[in-house]
Amino acid sequence: MKIIALCTTFIMGIGSVFSCPSVYAKENNLKSVQDQRTGLQTDISKANLEIFQVQDELIRLAEQIIRVEQAIKDNKKMIEQTEEKVKASQSQVQDLQQEIVSIQERINKRNELIKKRALSLQESGGQVRYIHVVLGSSSFSDFVERLGAVASMVEADQDLVKHYKEDQDEVQTKQSSVVKKLNELQNMKTELLWMQEQILEQKKQNDALKAELKMKELEKLSEKADLQQKDGTLAIKEALLLNEAQNSKGTDKNNETVNLDVPLPTTTNEAINVVIHAGEKYIENSVYVFGGGRNSYDVAHGRFDCSGFVAWAFRQAGFKVGAHTDILKNTGERVTLSEARPGDLVFFDTYKIDGHVGIYLGGGKFIGSQGSTGIAVADLTQGFYKKKFNGRVMRIIND
């Protein structure tokens, strides 16, 4: 019995010894599979994050496209309204031209009459001699009548000259008024057309970016599907190895938390920092709209024009400035570009002199509501804005 027991023990020992390499091999295979799955899970998590980022960009881009589409509609409406005003003004011009012709006829008639008066005076020696009135009268009553006639003639001549001058002044005033109004409307139409061109270019860029992002999304989804398929195959293999090894070890799952909160920039109580950082939240999240930024709806939806944005940014720091380039260009103290510091205003000649304005950030950069991008940081030392920068720098916040 002892021999049998010994032999059994020996055989079992030998079996266990010979079974060790097989156990180790299975454990190594299991670890290899688990390592591969860990790598795949990491890749899948990365793919998920990339897909989320692309989809988030698509969502923000879709919102931007909606804003751009609305801006195009609003600007088109304003262009149509301006064209109607131009037509109305042109009609007024035609009416005024007819009125001017009538006034001019009156002027010509008075001019001829004044010439005749002057000729008559010249022929009579250049003046009316009152002694002739006295000596030529046959009686006192005749003298009074003659004297009254002379006085009436002199008074009539003076009244004639007065009306002549009034008609001339009226013509000049009306002509100046119409010319000014037409120029203002034409300038407004020019600005609207230029702005509409910029927004249409932005729409074109947005459409191209949307197509690019959709393609990128499909690629990432395809990559994720391939990774999940490989992971599924490995999961089955892992389960078989676990069953074979009679091991119920589980795999740890790491849940990554992606912090999508963007920390706000550190600011001080200085008003200048409030101004230059005010528009950062609108970068890539806004659209240029003529007349925008002047009500709560526009501000909430990132709808600004250049001067409206500047006025809003300064208002965040407690400064009330005009929301028009013609006002802003004369606000504050003018300095040179070499003296410019963050918070100063820089001006550009676009559709007109000082037609565009932005807030200087330093290093040749400025932030503003640009026609093709909405709120964005641009460089005035190169490209389009270098050509358009006119050298005007205005300082509103002084030490």
Side-chain angles (χ1 to χ4, degrees):
M1 291 294 294
K2 290 181 180 180
I3 294 173
I4 293 173
L6 182 60
C7 289
T8 301
T9 302
F10 178 73
I11 292 170
M12 290 179 64
I14 292 174
S16 65
V17 171
F18 280 100
S19 68
C20 285
S22 177
V23 172
Y24 288 137
K26 289 180 181 179
E27 288 180 352
N28 287 336
N29 287 339
L30 179 60
K31 187 175 185 307
S32 175
V33 169
Q34 291 173 336
D35 288 343
Q36 290 179 59
R37 287 203 68 198
T38 299
L40 284 171
Q41 291 292 338
T42 300
D43 292 340
I44 291 172
S45 296
K46 182 180 178 182
N48 280 330
L49 180 59
E50 291 174 345
I51 291 169
F52 174 80
Q53 290 172 338
V54 172
Q55 291 174 340
D56 184 58
E57 286 184 54
L58 281 169
I59 291 172
R60 288 190 291 108
L61 182 60
E63 294 173 349
Q64 178 72 351
I65 288 173
I66 291 173
R67 283 191 289 266
V68 170
E69 293 288 351
Q70 187 60 47
I72 291 173
K73 291 179 183 178
D74 292 346
N75 292 331
K76 183 179 179 182
K77 183 177 179 180
M78 291 195 69
I79 289 172
E80 292 172 351
Q81 291 174 347
T82 303
E83 288 175 343
E84 289 299 321
K85 290 179 181 178
V86 170
K87 289 179 182 178
S89 293
Q90 288 172 340
S91 177
Q92 291 176 5
V93 170
Q94 293 175 355
D95 294 340
L96 181 59
Q97 290 297 342
Q98 294 178 356
E99 187 177 348
I100 289 173
V101 169
S102 177
I103 295 173
Q104 192 64 52
E105 288 176 356
R106 294 204 306 266
I107 291 174
N108 292 337
K109 288 180 181 178
R110 288 196 180 96
N111 193 30
E112 289 299 321
L113 189 56
I114 290 173
K115 287 181 181 178
K116 290 179 181 179
R117 297 274 190 178
L119 181 61
S120 176
L121 286 173
Q122 183 179 2
E123 289 175 349
S124 64
Q127 61 181 354
V128 177
R129 300 182 181 277
Y130 287 87
I131 189 64
H132 292 166
V133 174
V134 176
L135 296 177
S137 59
S138 59
S139 64
F140 180 74
S141 60
D142 184 29
F143 166 74
V144 171
E145 289 179 0
R146 285 171 176 263
L147 189 61
V150 170
S152 297
M153 186 182 71
V154 172
E155 184 179 349
D157 286 344
Q158 291 175 346
D159 188 58
L160 193 66
V161 173
K162 176 184 176 184
H163 285 299
Y164 178 84
K165 187 175 185 306
E166 287 176 350
D167 283 346
Q168 284 187 321
D169 291 342
E170 183 180 1
V171 169
Q172 292 177 354
T173 300
K174 289 187 175 183
Q175 284 179 329
S176 298
S177 175
V178 172
V179 169
K180 180 181 178 182
K181 185 174 182 180
L182 274 176
N183 285 339
E184 288 175 352
L185 288 170
Q186 291 292 353
N187 284 338
M188 183 177 179
K189 183 179 177 182
T190 300
E191 180 177 7
L192 286 167
L193 290 173
W194 174 79
M195 177 187 60
Q196 190 77 332
E197 182 181 344
Q198 298 294 313
I199 295 175
L200 288 173
E201 178 61 26
Q202 183 181 1
K203 180 180 183 299
K204 181 179 177 181
Q205 294 174 2
N206 287 340
D207 291 341
L209 179 58
K210 181 180 179 181
E212 181 183 339
L213 288 173
K214 291 296 293 183
M215 182 63 69
K216 187 176 180 180
E217 181 187 27
L218 290 175
E219 290 175 357
K220 294 300 178 184
L221 288 170
S222 178
E223 290 177 11
K224 178 184 175 181
D226 290 341
L227 292 170
Q228 287 176 326
Q229 183 178 1
K230 292 178 181 178
D231 184 59
T233 301
L234 288 173
I236 295 172
K237 187 174 182 180
E238 180 185 15
L240 291 173
L241 288 171
L242 285 170
N243 288 333
E244 290 177 4
Q246 296 181 349
N247 192 338
S248 61
K249 290 188 295 181
T251 58
D252 295 330
K253 295 182 179 179
N254 297 322
N255 295 321
E256 296 182 10
T257 301
V258 180
N259 183 13
L260 297 178
D261 293 330
V262 179
L264 293 174
T266 303
T267 61
T268 67
N269 292 327
E270 296 178 359
I272 193 169
N273 286 336
V274 174
V275 170
I276 64 176
H277 291 298
E280 290 180 345
K281 65 180 179 180
Y282 288 111
I283 294 177
E284 297 183 358
N285 189 34
S286 59
V287 65
Y288 185 104
V289 176
F290 182 79
R294 292 161 177 82
N295 57 59
S296 57
Y297 176 85
D298 283 348
V299 172
H301 293 82
R303 295 158 50 94
F304 294 91
D305 64 10
C306 62
S307 53
F309 167 70
V310 168
W312 172 83
F314 274 87
R315 195 158 60 245
Q316 307 315 297
F319 289 82
K320 186 176 181 180
V321 297
H324 197 286
T325 54
D326 287 342
I327 298 174
L328 292 170
K329 72 179 184 181
N330 294 314
T331 301
E333 173 190 1
R334 184 164 184 173
V335 298
T336 64
L337 180 59
S338 61
E339 297 171 325
R341 69 185 186 191
D344 292 345
L345 301 186
V346 287
F347 290 81
F348 306 83
D349 293 342
T350 50
Y351 73 98
K352 68 173 184 178
I353 295 175
D354 298 315
H356 186 62
V357 62
I359 301 171
Y360 191 62
L361 300 176
K365 301 292 193 301
F366 73 97
I367 187 171
S369 184
Q370 327 298 6
S372 61
T373 59
I375 307 301
V377 175
D379 193 339
L380 60 77
T381 65
Q382 59 183 358
F384 175 80
Y385 287 106
K386 179 180 180 180
K387 295 178 182 177
K388 298 297 182 180
F389 178 59
N390 62 18
R392 180 183 289 276
V393 182
M394 301 301 296
R395 178 165 298 163
I396 294 177
I397 303 178
N398 287 308
D399 296 330

